[in-house]
């Protein structure tokens, strides 16, 4: 296989082609979603590292902060799968507008709980 | 609305005009007909001079009864009938115990004869020697019989006043069981022993007993001659090994060095202690509040700083009033939930007489706690005060907020919300900006 014969050039090539094809074929809305997902993931990682390395006190604040990242990530990922044109066949009944409204409502409820729990 | 304490103090003032005892001034003296009242005139006159009303009767008289309709008729009872074997029906060991439990004080003299009272003594953890074995001592050398003994009086006890001269004693000793309610007042001289006759005929038996390791040996200074007993309810009973201790004959009998014996003062002190004149303390009240607060709270929060205050009074027999008393320096406060979570010294407040105060931190543990003061010292009234308070965790709005270590979490939650809003704005803006493009992609 290609990675065996020229691993470094092969992986970099395939990574570059992956990136290229992502930039070219993905719609700007999905890119926006992906940026948001990346931000949430980094925020969650930072908070988890802080909890492990520094302090988990007050624990309710950690749960709220980390939970808001995780919950928002899940909701956003759901939105992404529902508005992705490639999944159109699977979500015949869900229009992108409806998907966004679900996402927005779910997020507002999530944030309501997060701020109540934050202390 | 008159508070019960004020009512009590009014009653106390009313009684103060009559008597110096904290419990009452009526005394029943059950005097054996064989004992001459004149021989105890100093003791009885001294009591009357201090305001007591003495009523005399013999053990076999039915009236006046010590207890009638379950109500004690006298505040104090003196039983000077050491050799009476039969009493009228109102004086039984049971009735005497009932009297004590109703806060009537007893002064009981026993002798070397077996009577119903000697069997009662064992209920007070006093072990009397076999009948007919009085205390004997051959020291110091003197011209009295060997059973009439001068006994040195301990100098520092809460019962006796100051240092007294030795007192003449004639009677039986008793050994003590380990009962914390016993107050030894006078102990036997170290050279004395109990023997089964007033002569020295029992000396060989005594030597035998000593060689057997002391078993059956009644000797030495661990024997008591006069012992008080204080019940948990505050009633006091004093047992005296020989009634002659109170007699005029002994009060006037010069000691071996010619000095006056201390019998009269000793008898007066013993009566004063027994009749609850001296060594009488009471708890006036206790209070508790949070630091920087004045009113007590229904419940405290864990880790609160709480101040506990106790007020103690001592009865002053000369003025017949309760006075604040700050002389206790070994009292302890316990903050108890099953076990004492805190046990610490409760010291008198320097400026305020009679006040004992302590500030401490409530443990980090919720539950139903008790402030508990239980002060028991020989010769003093027992002090007991228990206050129940619940200790609860903080309410939901009493926890500290906006802690500095939590700021990364706050920042995480806020940034998520801000990013969510920005995302929504961009999404909706993109929706309106490129509807055609999205339609065209669809059509493609």
């Amino acid at each position: 296989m290609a990675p065996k014969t020229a691993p470094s050039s092969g992986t970099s090539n395939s990574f570059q082609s992956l990136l290229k094809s992502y930039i070219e074929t993905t719609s700007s809305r999905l890119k926006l979603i992906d940026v948001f997902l990346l931000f949430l993931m980094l925020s969650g990682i930072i908070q988890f590292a802080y909890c492990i390395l520094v302090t988990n006190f007050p624990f309710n604040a950690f749960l709220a902060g980390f939970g808001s990242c995780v919950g928002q990530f899940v909701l956003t990922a759901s939105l992404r799968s529902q508005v992705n044109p490639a999944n159109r066949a699977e979500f015949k009944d869900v229009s992108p507008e409806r998907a966004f409204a679900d996402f927005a409502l779910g997020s507002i409820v999530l944030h309501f709980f997060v701020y109540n729990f934050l202390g | 609305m008159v508070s019960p304490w004020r009512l009590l103090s009014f009653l106390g003032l009313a009684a103060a005009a009559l008597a110096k005892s904290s419990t009452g001034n009526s005394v029943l003296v059950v005097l054996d007909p064989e004992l001459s009242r004149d021989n105890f005139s100093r003791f009885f006159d001294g009591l009357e001079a201090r305001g007591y009303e003495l009523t005399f009767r013999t053990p076999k008289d039915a009236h006046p009864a010590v207890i009638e309709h379950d109500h004690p008729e006298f505040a104090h009872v003196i039983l000077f009938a050491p050799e009476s074997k039969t009493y009228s029906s109102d004086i039984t060991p049971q009735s005497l115990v009932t009297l004590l439990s109703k806060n009537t004080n007893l002064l009981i003299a026993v002798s070397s004869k077996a009577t119903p009272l000697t069997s009662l003594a064992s209920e007070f953890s006093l072990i009397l020697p076999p009948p007919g074995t009085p205390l004997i001592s051959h020291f110091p050398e003197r011209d009295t019989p060997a059973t009439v003994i001068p006994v040195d009086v301990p100098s520092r006890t809460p019962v006796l006043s100051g240092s007294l001269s030795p007192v003449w004693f004639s009677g039986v000793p008793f050994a003590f069981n380990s009962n914390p309610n016993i107050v030894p007042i006078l102990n036997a001289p170290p050279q004395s022993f109990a023997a089964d006759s007033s002569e020295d005929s029992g000396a060989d038996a005594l030597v035998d007993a000593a060689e057997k390791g002391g078993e059956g040996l009644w000797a030495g200074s661990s024997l008591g001659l006069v012992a008080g007993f204080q019940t948990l309810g505050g009633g006091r009973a004093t047992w005296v090994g020989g009634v002659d201790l109170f007699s005029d004959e002994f009060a006037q009998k010069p000691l071996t060095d010619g000095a006056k014996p201390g019998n009269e003062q000793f008898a007066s002190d013993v009566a004063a202690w027994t009749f609850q004149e001296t060594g009488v303390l009471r708890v006036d009240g206790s209070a508790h509040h949070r630091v920087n607060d004045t009113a007590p709270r229904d419940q405290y929060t864990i880790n609160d700083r709480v101040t506990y205050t106790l007020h103690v009074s001592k009865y002053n027999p000369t003025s017949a009033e309760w006075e604040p008393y700050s002389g206790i320096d070994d009292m302890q406060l316990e903050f108890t939930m099953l076990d004492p979570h805190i046990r610490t010294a409760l010291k008198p407040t320097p400026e305020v007489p009679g006040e004992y105060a302590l500030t401490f931190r409530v443990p980090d543990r919720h539950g139903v706690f008790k402030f508990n003061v239980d002060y028991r010292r020989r010769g003093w009234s027992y002090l007991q005060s228990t206050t129940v308070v619940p200790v609860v965790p903080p309410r939901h709005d009493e926890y500290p907020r906006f802690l500095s270590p939590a700021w990364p979490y706050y920042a995480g939650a806020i940034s998520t919300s801000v990013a969510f809003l920005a995302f929504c704005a961009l999404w909706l803006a993109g929706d309106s900006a490129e509807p055609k493009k999205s339609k065209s992609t669809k059509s493609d």
Side-chain angles (χ1 to χ4, degrees):
Chain A
M1 287 180 77
K4 272 185 181 175
T5 52
S8 62
S9 67
T11 45
S12 70
N13 278 344
S14 62
F15 183 74
Q16 277 169 4
S17 67
L18 176 68
L19 200 62
K20 194 182 169 197
S21 104
Y22 174 80
I23 290 167
E24 282 176 359
T25 59
T26 311
S27 71
S28 63
R29 318 205 95 178
L30 292 189
K31 280 181 191 161
L32 177 63
I33 290 178
D34 289 337
V35 169
F36 190 34
L37 289 176
L38 190 67
F39 164 76
L40 290 172
M41 193 172 75
L42 289 176
S43 171
I45 287 170
I46 289 169
Q47 288 179 57
F48 194 72
Y50 180 80
C51 172
I52 296 289
L53 299 177
V54 184
T55 175
N56 67 355
F57 177 82
F59 195 61
N60 61 316
F62 163 71
L63 288 180
F66 189 67
S68 80
C69 290
V70 173
Q72 190 67 65
F73 187 93
V74 169
L75 289 168
T76 314
S78 312
L79 175 70
R80 191 187 193 281
S81 62
Q82 288 178 28
V83 300
N84 194 345
N87 297 340
R88 181 60 52 79
E90 241 176 286
F91 298 104
K92 285 191 197 93
D93 303 336
V94 185
S95 68
E97 291 77 15
R98 168 70 198 274
F100 180 75
D102 287 350
F103 161 77
L105 183 67
S107 300
I108 288 166
V109 172
L110 172 72
H111 288 215
F112 176 77
F113 281 105
V114 162
Y115 285 104
N116 271 298
F117 208 59
L118 199 60
Chain B
M1 188 67 195
V2 181
S3 77
W5 280 121
R6 181 164 293 183
L7 200 64
L8 270 182
S9 66
F10 279 144
L11 289 175
L13 283 176
L18 302 169
K20 300 300 186 191
S21 163
S22 62
T23 57
N25 64 337
S26 56
V27 183
L28 176 69
V29 184
V30 180
L31 192 65
D32 197 309
E34 290 175 16
L35 296 173
S36 161
R37 185 180 161 181
D38 296 335
N39 193 22
F40 298 90
S41 62
R42 284 169 178 253
F43 177 60
F44 291 141
D45 292 350
L47 287 181
E48 279 179 334
R50 269 149 62 196
Y52 288 102
E53 293 171 5
L54 304 187
T55 309
F56 288 86
R57 60 169 269 201
T58 66
K60 286 172 186 169
D61 287 349
H63 294 284
V66 292
I67 185 163
E68 238 170 344
H69 308 304
D70 224 19
H71 180 261
E73 297 293 306
F74 296 93
H76 320 283
V77 175
I78 298 177
L79 281 173
F80 277 181
E83 305 200 345
S84 299
K85 295 206 184 229
T86 52
Y87 291 87
S88 72
S89 59
D90 65 318
I91 298 181
T92 60
Q94 287 79 10
S95 74
L96 293 180
V97 171
T98 308
L99 282 179
L100 261 186
S101 68
K102 291 179 183 294
N103 212 8
T104 300
N105 307 302
L106 306 177
L107 179 60
I108 303 171
V110 293
S111 70
S112 58
K113 288 195 177 173
T115 68
L117 289 181
T118 54
S119 56
L120 179 63
S122 61
E123 303 298 330
F124 290 80
S125 298
L126 305 175
I127 310 161
L128 287 163
T133 53
L135 189 74
I136 285 179
S137 176
H138 298 287
F139 300 95
E141 195 176 357
R142 60 196 186 275
D143 56 358
T144 61
T147 53
V148 178
I149 305 159
V151 185
D152 286 332
V153 180
S155 60
R156 277 187 55 82
T157 77
V159 178
L160 303 174
S161 61
S163 56
L164 296 180
S165 312
V167 295
W168 288 108
F169 177 85
S170 171
V172 285
F174 23 73
F176 298 120
N177 261 337
S178 59
N179 187 321
N181 296 322
I182 291 180
V183 185
I185 298 173
L186 185 69
N187 280 2
Q191 312 89 348
S192 62
F193 54 91
D196 58 1
S197 89
S198 52
E199 285 84 50
D200 253 347
S201 62
D204 291 341
L206 198 78
V207 170
D208 285 350
E211 282 171 353
K212 282 174 190 162
E215 195 171 336
L217 178 67
W218 295 81
S221 59
S222 63
L223 293 177
L225 305 179
V226 180
F229 186 97
Q230 182 164 263
T231 64
L232 298 180
R236 289 173 177 179
T238 301
W239 292 80
V240 182
V243 74
D244 292 334
L245 183 67
F246 295 94
S247 67
D248 290 359
E249 184 196 341
F250 277 15
Q252 289 163 321
K253 191 187 194 72
L255 293 166
T256 47
D257 58 358
K260 191 172 178 288
N263 281 51
E264 192 173 351
Q265 183 63 38
F266 180 84
S268 164
D269 286 350
V270 167
W273 182 83
T274 309
F275 296 167
Q276 297 194 37
E277 284 183 34
T278 57
V280 182
L281 303 173
R282 76 171 183 205
V283 173
D284 282 339
S286 65
H288 50 88
H289 58 83
R290 236 163 49 168
V291 172
N292 303 328
D293 223 345
T294 51
R297 294 175 79 90
D298 292 339
Q299 57 190 27
Y300 291 101
T301 309
I302 56 171
N303 297 327
D304 267 356
R305 288 193 66 77
V306 170
T307 299
Y308 178 82
T309 319
L310 186 78
H311 288 272
V312 175
S313 284
K314 182 187 177 188
Y315 184 74
N316 183 343
T318 54
S319 66
E321 277 174 3
W322 292 90
E323 292 172 352
Y325 183 63
S326 288
I328 304 173
D329 54 1
D330 54 352
M331 193 151 56
Q332 288 187 325
L333 171 71
E334 290 176 355
F335 197 56
T336 306
M337 179 172 68
L338 297 181
D339 300 315
H341 283 54
I342 289 174
R343 180 190 282 141
T344 183
L346 188 59
K347 293 283 183 192
T349 310
E351 300 85 36
V352 193
E355 183 181 289
Y356 298 78
L358 177 72
T359 299
F360 65 98
R361 185 175 67 82
V362 172
D364 193 357
R365 181 83 188 267
H366 63 263
V368 177
F369 279 83
K370 280 191 290 192
F371 294 106
N372 202 3
V373 173
D374 194 359
Y375 181 80
R376 295 168 190 225
R377 295 294 180 274
R378 285 193 164 147
W380 294 96
S381 309
Y382 301 146
L383 293 180
Q384 195 159 25
S385 172
T386 302
T387 314
V388 177
V389 287
V391 174
V392 298
R395 287 172 60 89
H396 70 281
D397 57 352
E398 284 177 343
Y399 286 97
R401 307 188 75 185
F402 308 118
L403 304 168
S404 57
W407 275 110
Y409 306 132
Y410 301 154
I414 292 166
S415 67
T416 305
S417 300
V418 170
F420 165 70
L421 289 175
F423 172 79
C424 290
L426 287 174
W427 181 276
L428 295 171
D431 205 25
S432 58
E434 42 184 344
K436 285 168 190 170
K437 194 182 171 186
S438 63
K439 272 179 187 170
S440 67
T441 50
K442 272 178 196 169
S443 63
D444 284 346

